[in-house]
Amino acid sequence: MNYRSFEEASVAEVGLGTWQLGSSEWGEVSEEEALSILQAYVERGGNFIDTADIYGMGISERTIGSFLKQVETDREIYVATKLGRRQDDGYGWPQNFTYEVMREHVVSSLENLGVSQLFLDQFHCIPKEELEKGAVFDHFRKIREEGLIKHWGASVETTEEALICLEQEDISSLQIIFNLFRQHLADEFFEKAAERDVSLIVRVPLASGMLTGKFDEDTTFAEDDHRNFNADGEAFNVGETFSGIPFNEGLQLVDKIEERMPGGSMPQLALRWILDHPQVTTVIPGATKKAHVTSNTGASSLQPLGPETHRRLRTLYDEEIRPHIRGRY
C-alpha cells in the first residue's frame, strides 16, 4: 500500500468506503461480514475509512466503532464521517444546518464510533444555497474549536459546489465523484485544490460497480438496492448511481474502455487511472466481500497506465461518454 498526505497524517491512497456496511441501499451485509471486510482492509495496509451518519442510520458508524475497539495494529486508523442528511426525529432541511443540530450530529457520530474526537467530518452533499450562505462553515469551525473534530471538509455533487468550498481557506478536504465516467473534474478544479492544499477524496470510483466490467444485460439488483430504485435518480442525485450513466449505455461504454486498457483486472485498472492523478489523496471504493478489498487495494501496487492510455481514455470520454451523463455535476 502506498500513502499520501492528508494534513499532518499519512493515509492509504486506497481507502475504504462503508456505505455498504450500513446494510441499506446496497442489500444487507451482516455484522460478521462487515467486521471481516474492515479487518481485511487493515491487513492490506489500509488506514483510511469513510462513513456517514445516515449509512444504515448509524449502523456503519457503530460497526466501525466495534472494529476499532478490537483491532490490533501498529498503524493509526483514520475515520472520516459525514453529516447533514439525517431526517429522523424531526431532523431535516434546513434545521440540519444550524450550529445546534450540527453539533448534536457530531456528538452522535462520536458516540457511534466510540472516539473522543473525529479525525474528519464532512458536509454530506448539502444544498448549494447553504454553502453560499456560508454559516455552515463557521459552525464547523466552532465545533473544531471545541475539540470535537480535528478537520472538516465537504462532500459535493457539482463543480460549482466544489469551487464554493475551495474559497474557504481552512477547509481540509473535498469528497467528489471522479472516475472514468467523470473525467472532466480534473480540468476544472484539481489544480486549485492542490494550490490550496485541499485533499481530494474520490467516491463512486467504480461507478456503483459498473466499471468492474462484471455486469451484463441480465444483471439485476435487489429492490432495496439503489442501483435498482435510484437508477434514474428517483431517490437522490442520479450521479451517485452508475455516475449518472444509463445502465445499458454504461455496459457498452465499459467494453470500449476495456479495449483501450492494458491487460489486467478492470476494477484495479479503473482505480489505477484515478490514482495516476497526483492531486488525489485517496480513493474510497466500497466492498461487500473480503475479495473486493483484496482487489481494490491491489490497485496501489500497479504501475501507472501511461500517457497514451490516458489520452485514448480521455478521447473516448469527450466523444462518447460525457454526452450520456445525467443529473447535476
Side-chain angles (χ1 to χ4, degrees), residues 269-297:
L269 292 170
L271 295 174
R272 182 65 253 174
W273 178 87
I274 297 170
L275 294 174
D276 284 353
H277 295 79
Q279 301 91 345
V280 168
T281 302
T282 184
V283 55
I284 51 170
T288 56
K289 302 176 182 177
K290 289 194 295 183
H292 297 159
V293 175
T294 301
S295 173
N296 294 339
T297 53

PDB file of all heavy atoms in Angstrom, residues 269-297:
ATOM      1  N   LEU A 269      -7.605  -1.555 -12.728  1.00  0.00           N
ATOM      2  CA  LEU A 269      -7.183  -0.575 -13.722  1.00  0.00           C
ATOM      3  C   LEU A 269      -7.993   0.715 -13.604  1.00  0.00           C
ATOM      4  O   LEU A 269      -7.452   1.816 -13.762  1.00  0.00           O
ATOM      5  CB  LEU A 269      -7.324  -1.160 -15.128  1.00  0.00           C
ATOM      6  CG  LEU A 269      -6.375  -2.307 -15.470  1.00  0.00           C
ATOM      7  CD1 LEU A 269      -6.781  -2.962 -16.778  1.00  0.00           C
ATOM      8  CD2 LEU A 269      -4.927  -1.815 -15.552  1.00  0.00           C
ATOM      9  N   ALA A 270      -9.290   0.574 -13.311  1.00  0.00           N
ATOM     10  CA  ALA A 270     -10.133   1.756 -13.152  1.00  0.00           C
ATOM     11  C   ALA A 270      -9.690   2.576 -11.939  1.00  0.00           C
ATOM     12  O   ALA A 270      -9.688   3.819 -11.982  1.00  0.00           O
ATOM     13  CB  ALA A 270     -11.596   1.340 -13.005  1.00  0.00           C
ATOM     14  N   LEU A 271      -9.305   1.897 -10.863  1.00  0.00           N
ATOM     15  CA  LEU A 271      -8.793   2.601  -9.685  1.00  0.00           C
ATOM     16  C   LEU A 271      -7.409   3.182  -9.958  1.00  0.00           C
ATOM     17  O   LEU A 271      -7.090   4.291  -9.511  1.00  0.00           O
ATOM     18  CB  LEU A 271      -8.748   1.650  -8.486  1.00  0.00           C
ATOM     19  CG  LEU A 271     -10.099   1.141  -7.972  1.00  0.00           C
ATOM     20  CD1 LEU A 271      -9.898   0.098  -6.878  1.00  0.00           C
ATOM     21  CD2 LEU A 271     -10.954   2.288  -7.444  1.00  0.00           C
ATOM     22  N   ARG A 272      -6.591   2.437 -10.690  1.00  0.00           N
ATOM     23  CA  ARG A 272      -5.248   2.932 -11.016  1.00  0.00           C
ATOM     24  C   ARG A 272      -5.331   4.221 -11.827  1.00  0.00           C
ATOM     25  O   ARG A 272      -4.523   5.142 -11.625  1.00  0.00           O
ATOM     26  CB  ARG A 272      -4.497   1.866 -11.812  1.00  0.00           C
ATOM     27  CG  ARG A 272      -3.061   2.200 -12.185  1.00  0.00           C
ATOM     28  CD  ARG A 272      -2.181   2.314 -10.969  1.00  0.00           C
ATOM     29  NE  ARG A 272      -1.821   3.694 -10.670  1.00  0.00           N
ATOM     30  CZ  ARG A 272      -1.141   4.051  -9.583  1.00  0.00           C
ATOM     31  NH1 ARG A 272      -0.753   3.150  -8.692  1.00  0.00           N
ATOM     32  NH2 ARG A 272      -0.859   5.315  -9.364  1.00  0.00           N
ATOM     33  N   TRP A 273      -6.306   4.295 -12.739  1.00  0.00           N
ATOM     34  CA  TRP A 273      -6.495   5.512 -13.533  1.00  0.00           C
ATOM     35  C   TRP A 273      -6.698   6.711 -12.610  1.00  0.00           C
ATOM     36  O   TRP A 273      -6.137   7.784 -12.827  1.00  0.00           O
ATOM     37  CB  TRP A 273      -7.681   5.346 -14.472  1.00  0.00           C
ATOM     38  CG  TRP A 273      -7.957   6.566 -15.285  1.00  0.00           C
ATOM     39  CD1 TRP A 273      -7.406   6.899 -16.488  1.00  0.00           C
ATOM     40  CD2 TRP A 273      -8.828   7.643 -14.932  1.00  0.00           C
ATOM     41  NE1 TRP A 273      -7.889   8.123 -16.914  1.00  0.00           N
ATOM     42  CE2 TRP A 273      -8.758   8.598 -15.977  1.00  0.00           C
ATOM     43  CE3 TRP A 273      -9.666   7.898 -13.848  1.00  0.00           C
ATOM     44  CZ2 TRP A 273      -9.494   9.787 -15.971  1.00  0.00           C
ATOM     45  CZ3 TRP A 273     -10.399   9.082 -13.824  1.00  0.00           C
ATOM     46  CH2 TRP A 273     -10.302  10.009 -14.873  1.00  0.00           C
ATOM     47  N   ILE A 274      -7.487   6.547 -11.567  1.00  0.00           N
ATOM     48  CA  ILE A 274      -7.714   7.631 -10.606  1.00  0.00           C
ATOM     49  C   ILE A 274      -6.424   7.975  -9.872  1.00  0.00           C
ATOM     50  O   ILE A 274      -6.055   9.146  -9.734  1.00  0.00           O
ATOM     51  CB  ILE A 274      -8.816   7.237  -9.605  1.00  0.00           C
ATOM     52  CG1 ILE A 274     -10.154   7.031 -10.324  1.00  0.00           C
ATOM     53  CG2 ILE A 274      -8.955   8.294  -8.513  1.00  0.00           C
ATOM     54  CD1 ILE A 274     -11.234   6.405  -9.458  1.00  0.00           C
ATOM     55  N   LEU A 275      -5.722   6.959  -9.405  1.00  0.00           N
ATOM     56  CA  LEU A 275      -4.501   7.183  -8.628  1.00  0.00           C
ATOM     57  C   LEU A 275      -3.388   7.813  -9.457  1.00  0.00           C
ATOM     58  O   LEU A 275      -2.457   8.392  -8.888  1.00  0.00           O
ATOM     59  CB  LEU A 275      -4.020   5.863  -8.025  1.00  0.00           C
ATOM     60  CG  LEU A 275      -4.943   5.235  -6.974  1.00  0.00           C
ATOM     61  CD1 LEU A 275      -4.420   3.863  -6.567  1.00  0.00           C
ATOM     62  CD2 LEU A 275      -5.083   6.137  -5.763  1.00  0.00           C
ATOM     63  N   ASP A 276      -3.492   7.732 -10.766  1.00  0.00           N
ATOM     64  CA  ASP A 276      -2.496   8.374 -11.620  1.00  0.00           C
ATOM     65  C   ASP A 276      -2.578   9.896 -11.552  1.00  0.00           C
ATOM     66  O   ASP A 276      -1.686  10.579 -12.068  1.00  0.00           O
ATOM     67  CB  ASP A 276      -2.675   7.925 -13.076  1.00  0.00           C
ATOM     68  CG  ASP A 276      -2.160   6.524 -13.332  1.00  0.00           C
ATOM     69  OD1 ASP A 276      -1.532   5.941 -12.420  1.00  0.00           O
ATOM     70  OD2 ASP A 276      -2.386   6.003 -14.438  1.00  0.00           O
ATOM     71  N   HIS A 277      -3.629  10.425 -10.941  1.00  0.00           N
ATOM     72  CA  HIS A 277      -3.771  11.871 -10.771  1.00  0.00           C
ATOM     73  C   HIS A 277      -3.162  12.258  -9.416  1.00  0.00           C
ATOM     74  O   HIS A 277      -3.715  11.916  -8.366  1.00  0.00           O
ATOM     75  CB  HIS A 277      -5.246  12.271 -10.836  1.00  0.00           C
ATOM     76  CG  HIS A 277      -5.863  12.020 -12.189  1.00  0.00           C
ATOM     77  ND1 HIS A 277      -6.267  10.764 -12.602  1.00  0.00           N
ATOM     78  CD2 HIS A 277      -6.109  12.868 -13.221  1.00  0.00           C
ATOM     79  CE1 HIS A 277      -6.755  10.857 -13.829  1.00  0.00           C
ATOM     80  NE2 HIS A 277      -6.666  12.109 -14.223  1.00  0.00           N
ATOM     81  N   PRO A 278      -2.045  12.948  -9.408  1.00  0.00           N
ATOM     82  CA  PRO A 278      -1.329  13.214  -8.152  1.00  0.00           C
ATOM     83  C   PRO A 278      -2.105  14.090  -7.178  1.00  0.00           C
ATOM     84  O   PRO A 278      -1.804  14.066  -5.978  1.00  0.00           O
ATOM     85  CB  PRO A 278      -0.047  13.917  -8.625  1.00  0.00           C
ATOM     86  CG  PRO A 278      -0.386  14.481  -9.974  1.00  0.00           C
ATOM     87  CD  PRO A 278      -1.335  13.514 -10.580  1.00  0.00           C
ATOM     88  N   GLN A 279      -3.100  14.831  -7.646  1.00  0.00           N
ATOM     89  CA  GLN A 279      -3.872  15.687  -6.740  1.00  0.00           C
ATOM     90  C   GLN A 279      -4.821  14.867  -5.862  1.00  0.00           C
ATOM     91  O   GLN A 279      -5.298  15.359  -4.840  1.00  0.00           O
ATOM     92  CB  GLN A 279      -4.681  16.717  -7.536  1.00  0.00           C
ATOM     93  CG  GLN A 279      -3.855  17.637  -8.412  1.00  0.00           C
ATOM     94  CD  GLN A 279      -3.665  17.077  -9.822  1.00  0.00           C
ATOM     95  OE1 GLN A 279      -3.896  15.904 -10.086  1.00  0.00           O
ATOM     96  NE2 GLN A 279      -3.242  17.944 -10.736  1.00  0.00           N
ATOM     97  N   VAL A 280      -5.106  13.633  -6.260  1.00  0.00           N
ATOM     98  CA  VAL A 280      -5.995  12.764  -5.481  1.00  0.00           C
ATOM     99  C   VAL A 280      -5.251  12.281  -4.239  1.00  0.00           C
ATOM    100  O   VAL A 280      -4.119  11.798  -4.325  1.00  0.00           O
ATOM    101  CB  VAL A 280      -6.466  11.562  -6.323  1.00  0.00           C
ATOM    102  CG1 VAL A 280      -7.151  10.517  -5.441  1.00  0.00           C
ATOM    103  CG2 VAL A 280      -7.402  12.027  -7.431  1.00  0.00           C
ATOM    104  N   THR A 281      -5.889  12.420  -3.086  1.00  0.00           N
ATOM    105  CA  THR A 281      -5.287  11.950  -1.835  1.00  0.00           C
ATOM    106  C   THR A 281      -5.616  10.483  -1.587  1.00  0.00           C
ATOM    107  O   THR A 281      -4.747   9.675  -1.272  1.00  0.00           O
ATOM    108  CB  THR A 281      -5.784  12.794  -0.652  1.00  0.00           C
ATOM    109  OG1 THR A 281      -5.461  14.162  -0.895  1.00  0.00           O
ATOM    110  CG2 THR A 281      -5.150  12.339   0.654  1.00  0.00           C
ATOM    111  N   THR A 282      -6.901  10.140  -1.733  1.00  0.00           N
ATOM    112  CA  THR A 282      -7.308   8.758  -1.508  1.00  0.00           C
ATOM    113  C   THR A 282      -8.584   8.480  -2.284  1.00  0.00           C
ATOM    114  O   THR A 282      -9.398   9.374  -2.511  1.00  0.00           O
ATOM    115  CB  THR A 282      -7.513   8.471  -0.004  1.00  0.00           C
ATOM    116  OG1 THR A 282      -7.814   7.076   0.202  1.00  0.00           O
ATOM    117  CG2 THR A 282      -8.635   9.300   0.580  1.00  0.00           C
ATOM    118  N   VAL A 283      -8.744   7.238  -2.691  1.00  0.00           N
ATOM    119  CA  VAL A 283      -9.938   6.786  -3.381  1.00  0.00           C
ATOM    120  C   VAL A 283     -10.625   5.785  -2.462  1.00  0.00           C
ATOM    121  O   VAL A 283      -9.964   4.977  -1.811  1.00  0.00           O
ATOM    122  CB  VAL A 283      -9.584   6.165  -4.752  1.00  0.00           C
ATOM    123  CG1 VAL A 283      -8.574   5.047  -4.608  1.00  0.00           C
ATOM    124  CG2 VAL A 283     -10.831   5.660  -5.476  1.00  0.00           C
ATOM    125  N   ILE A 284     -11.969   5.847  -2.366  1.00  0.00           N
ATOM    126  CA  ILE A 284     -12.656   5.062  -1.331  1.00  0.00           C
ATOM    127  C   ILE A 284     -13.698   4.092  -1.924  1.00  0.00           C
ATOM    128  O   ILE A 284     -14.899   4.253  -1.720  1.00  0.00           O
ATOM    129  CB  ILE A 284     -13.322   5.980  -0.277  1.00  0.00           C
ATOM    130  CG1 ILE A 284     -14.191   7.058  -0.930  1.00  0.00           C
ATOM    131  CG2 ILE A 284     -12.247   6.630   0.597  1.00  0.00           C
ATOM    132  CD1 ILE A 284     -15.051   7.836   0.077  1.00  0.00           C
ATOM    133  N   PRO A 285     -13.245   3.058  -2.627  1.00  0.00           N
ATOM    134  CA  PRO A 285     -14.191   2.055  -3.104  1.00  0.00           C
ATOM    135  C   PRO A 285     -14.815   1.313  -1.933  1.00  0.00           C
ATOM    136  O   PRO A 285     -14.165   1.100  -0.903  1.00  0.00           O
ATOM    137  CB  PRO A 285     -13.317   1.121  -3.951  1.00  0.00           C
ATOM    138  CG  PRO A 285     -11.948   1.252  -3.345  1.00  0.00           C
ATOM    139  CD  PRO A 285     -11.853   2.694  -2.927  1.00  0.00           C
ATOM    140  N   GLY A 286     -16.057   0.903  -2.109  1.00  0.00           N
ATOM    141  CA  GLY A 286     -16.717   0.112  -1.076  1.00  0.00           C
ATOM    142  C   GLY A 286     -16.481  -1.374  -1.300  1.00  0.00           C
ATOM    143  O   GLY A 286     -15.811  -1.788  -2.248  1.00  0.00           O
ATOM    144  N   ALA A 287     -17.048  -2.172  -0.408  1.00  0.00           N
ATOM    145  CA  ALA A 287     -16.874  -3.627  -0.514  1.00  0.00           C
ATOM    146  C   ALA A 287     -18.017  -4.315   0.215  1.00  0.00           C
ATOM    147  O   ALA A 287     -18.446  -3.861   1.281  1.00  0.00           O
ATOM    148  CB  ALA A 287     -15.540  -4.060   0.086  1.00  0.00           C
ATOM    149  N   THR A 288     -18.516  -5.391  -0.363  1.00  0.00           N
ATOM    150  CA  THR A 288     -19.480  -6.242   0.327  1.00  0.00           C
ATOM    151  C   THR A 288     -18.888  -7.615   0.626  1.00  0.00           C
ATOM    152  O   THR A 288     -19.535  -8.442   1.244  1.00  0.00           O
ATOM    153  CB  THR A 288     -20.763  -6.413  -0.506  1.00  0.00           C
ATOM    154  OG1 THR A 288     -20.423  -6.939  -1.803  1.00  0.00           O
ATOM    155  CG2 THR A 288     -21.480  -5.075  -0.683  1.00  0.00           C
ATOM    156  N   LYS A 289     -17.647  -7.826   0.166  1.00  0.00           N
ATOM    157  CA  LYS A 289     -16.941  -9.080   0.417  1.00  0.00           C
ATOM    158  C   LYS A 289     -15.465  -8.784   0.618  1.00  0.00           C
ATOM    159  O   LYS A 289     -14.943  -7.791   0.102  1.00  0.00           O
ATOM    160  CB  LYS A 289     -17.092 -10.045  -0.775  1.00  0.00           C
ATOM    161  CG  LYS A 289     -18.517 -10.404  -1.134  1.00  0.00           C
ATOM    162  CD  LYS A 289     -18.542 -11.272  -2.385  1.00  0.00           C
ATOM    163  CE  LYS A 289     -19.966 -11.612  -2.783  1.00  0.00           C
ATOM    164  NZ  LYS A 289     -20.009 -12.402  -4.048  1.00  0.00           N
ATOM    165  N   LYS A 290     -14.782  -9.678   1.333  1.00  0.00           N
ATOM    166  CA  LYS A 290     -13.337  -9.503   1.531  1.00  0.00           C
ATOM    167  C   LYS A 290     -12.587  -9.516   0.204  1.00  0.00           C
ATOM    168  O   LYS A 290     -11.583  -8.825   0.041  1.00  0.00           O
ATOM    169  CB  LYS A 290     -12.792 -10.604   2.459  1.00  0.00           C
ATOM    170  CG  LYS A 290     -13.225 -10.478   3.910  1.00  0.00           C
ATOM    171  CD  LYS A 290     -12.399 -11.363   4.808  1.00  0.00           C
ATOM    172  CE  LYS A 290     -12.607 -12.829   4.515  1.00  0.00           C
ATOM    173  NZ  LYS A 290     -11.829 -13.686   5.462  1.00  0.00           N
ATOM    174  N   ALA A 291     -13.080 -10.296  -0.756  1.00  0.00           N
ATOM    175  CA  ALA A 291     -12.410 -10.367  -2.053  1.00  0.00           C
ATOM    176  C   ALA A 291     -12.367  -9.002  -2.733  1.00  0.00           C
ATOM    177  O   ALA A 291     -11.412  -8.689  -3.457  1.00  0.00           O
ATOM    178  CB  ALA A 291     -13.111 -11.384  -2.958  1.00  0.00           C
ATOM    179  N   HIS A 292     -13.399  -8.186  -2.496  1.00  0.00           N
ATOM    180  CA  HIS A 292     -13.406  -6.846  -3.075  1.00  0.00           C
ATOM    181  C   HIS A 292     -12.276  -6.006  -2.493  1.00  0.00           C
ATOM    182  O   HIS A 292     -11.637  -5.218  -3.200  1.00  0.00           O
ATOM    183  CB  HIS A 292     -14.749  -6.158  -2.795  1.00  0.00           C
ATOM    184  CG  HIS A 292     -15.917  -6.843  -3.414  1.00  0.00           C
ATOM    185  ND1 HIS A 292     -17.208  -6.662  -2.966  1.00  0.00           N
ATOM    186  CD2 HIS A 292     -16.009  -7.722  -4.452  1.00  0.00           C
ATOM    187  CE1 HIS A 292     -18.039  -7.381  -3.688  1.00  0.00           C
ATOM    188  NE2 HIS A 292     -17.337  -8.034  -4.596  1.00  0.00           N
ATOM    189  N   VAL A 293     -12.019  -6.167  -1.211  1.00  0.00           N
ATOM    190  CA  VAL A 293     -10.935  -5.431  -0.555  1.00  0.00           C
ATOM    191  C   VAL A 293      -9.590  -5.815  -1.160  1.00  0.00           C
ATOM    192  O   VAL A 293      -8.748  -4.961  -1.458  1.00  0.00           O
ATOM    193  CB  VAL A 293     -10.939  -5.689   0.963  1.00  0.00           C
ATOM    194  CG1 VAL A 293      -9.733  -5.028   1.619  1.00  0.00           C
ATOM    195  CG2 VAL A 293     -12.232  -5.195   1.585  1.00  0.00           C
ATOM    196  N   THR A 294      -9.379  -7.118  -1.350  1.00  0.00           N
ATOM    197  CA  THR A 294      -8.123  -7.592  -1.922  1.00  0.00           C
ATOM    198  C   THR A 294      -7.906  -7.007  -3.312  1.00  0.00           C
ATOM    199  O   THR A 294      -6.812  -6.526  -3.646  1.00  0.00           O
ATOM    200  CB  THR A 294      -8.115  -9.123  -1.993  1.00  0.00           C
ATOM    201  OG1 THR A 294      -8.279  -9.654  -0.668  1.00  0.00           O
ATOM    202  CG2 THR A 294      -6.811  -9.636  -2.586  1.00  0.00           C
ATOM    203  N   SER A 295      -8.961  -7.024  -4.113  1.00  0.00           N
ATOM    204  CA  SER A 295      -8.861  -6.471  -5.464  1.00  0.00           C
ATOM    205  C   SER A 295      -8.602  -4.975  -5.429  1.00  0.00           C
ATOM    206  O   SER A 295      -7.677  -4.475  -6.085  1.00  0.00           O
ATOM    207  CB  SER A 295     -10.148  -6.758  -6.240  1.00  0.00           C
ATOM    208  OG  SER A 295     -10.147  -6.093  -7.491  1.00  0.00           O
ATOM    209  N   ASN A 296      -9.394  -4.249  -4.655  1.00  0.00           N
ATOM    210  CA  ASN A 296      -9.283  -2.788  -4.652  1.00  0.00           C
ATOM    211  C   ASN A 296      -7.924  -2.305  -4.168  1.00  0.00           C
ATOM    212  O   ASN A 296      -7.303  -1.428  -4.767  1.00  0.00           O
ATOM    213  CB  ASN A 296     -10.386  -2.191  -3.784  1.00  0.00           C
ATOM    214  CG  ASN A 296     -11.772  -2.424  -4.353  1.00  0.00           C
ATOM    215  OD1 ASN A 296     -11.931  -2.677  -5.544  1.00  0.00           O
ATOM    216  ND2 ASN A 296     -12.783  -2.342  -3.503  1.00  0.00           N
ATOM    217  N   THR A 297      -7.454  -2.866  -3.067  1.00  0.00           N
ATOM    218  CA  THR A 297      -6.171  -2.415  -2.529  1.00  0.00           C
ATOM    219  C   THR A 297      -5.019  -2.779  -3.453  1.00  0.00           C
ATOM    220  O   THR A 297      -3.972  -2.124  -3.445  1.00  0.00           O
ATOM    221  CB  THR A 297      -5.916  -3.005  -1.128  1.00  0.00           C
ATOM    222  OG1 THR A 297      -6.067  -4.434  -1.181  1.00  0.00           O
ATOM    223  CG2 THR A 297      -6.906  -2.442  -0.111  1.00  0.00           C
TER     224      THR A 297
END
